Amino acid sequence: MAFKLPKLPYEYDALQPHFDKRTMKIHHTKHHNGYTNKLNAAIEGTPLAKKSIEDILKNASKHGAGVRNNGGGFYNHSLFWKTLSPKGGGAPKATSKLGKAMAKAFGTHEKFQAQFATAAGTRFGSGWAWLCVNKRGGLFITSTPNQDNPLMDCAEKKGTPILGLDVWEHAYYLKYQNRRPDYVQAFFNVVNWDQVSKLYNKAAK
Ligand code: MN
């Protein structure tokens, strides 16, 4: 079974004015689609074709650059779209499991945003910033280069990602040009915390 490009759970223009329609459409139909097709081409006829994407990424360093880069690209964007919403923004409910874990890890939501923005802003070149769950259910922020992610054996800090932000220029250049910090702030307005909460509950079980 080949991997399939997931449909967006909203229209391309739904996240405006924060994420513009043209960027969203190119990002999904060209970039994400490209990673998906190249991943399928790289694993076709190999034992990896029968594995889940999580299983493939767990041993990313052993599979060569094509699988590592395109498998990461497939997974990372699939998670990214799912955790955005036109009704997003704000913070997780303070009484939720995620809200409590975030308060424990970061103090206030403002402090979480500042730490996440720093991770996204200081990632040199292309990559991702992540909110992740560790083995004890605690939360931490990290970043990875290129299309790597914290599921990979080669990641600097490993964990289960529940929120990721794409900081490749293709994710923001048309609207924000070199102003990555503005794009990061815009992202906070479209985070789907209900979805992140569900991912947290699953990862922290
Ligand atoms: Mn991207």
Side-chain angles (χ1 to χ4, degrees), residues 103-125:
K104 194 174 167 197
F106 309 113
T108 64
H109 195 68
E110 288 66 33
K111 283 184 185 161
F112 156 74
Q113 288 188 329
Q115 198 180 317
F116 193 92
T118 299
T122 56
R123 165 51 54 192
F124 184 76

Side-chain angles (χ1 to χ4, degrees), residues 27-28 31-32 35 73 76-77 80-81 127-128 147 166-171 183:
H27 203 170
H28 182 244
H31 294 276
H32 194 188
Y35 296 125
N76 296 347
H77 291 85
F80 187 41
W81 309 135
W128 291 74
Q147 294 296 352
D166 189 343
V167 297
W168 285 56
E169 281 189 344
H170 70 227
Y183 160 71

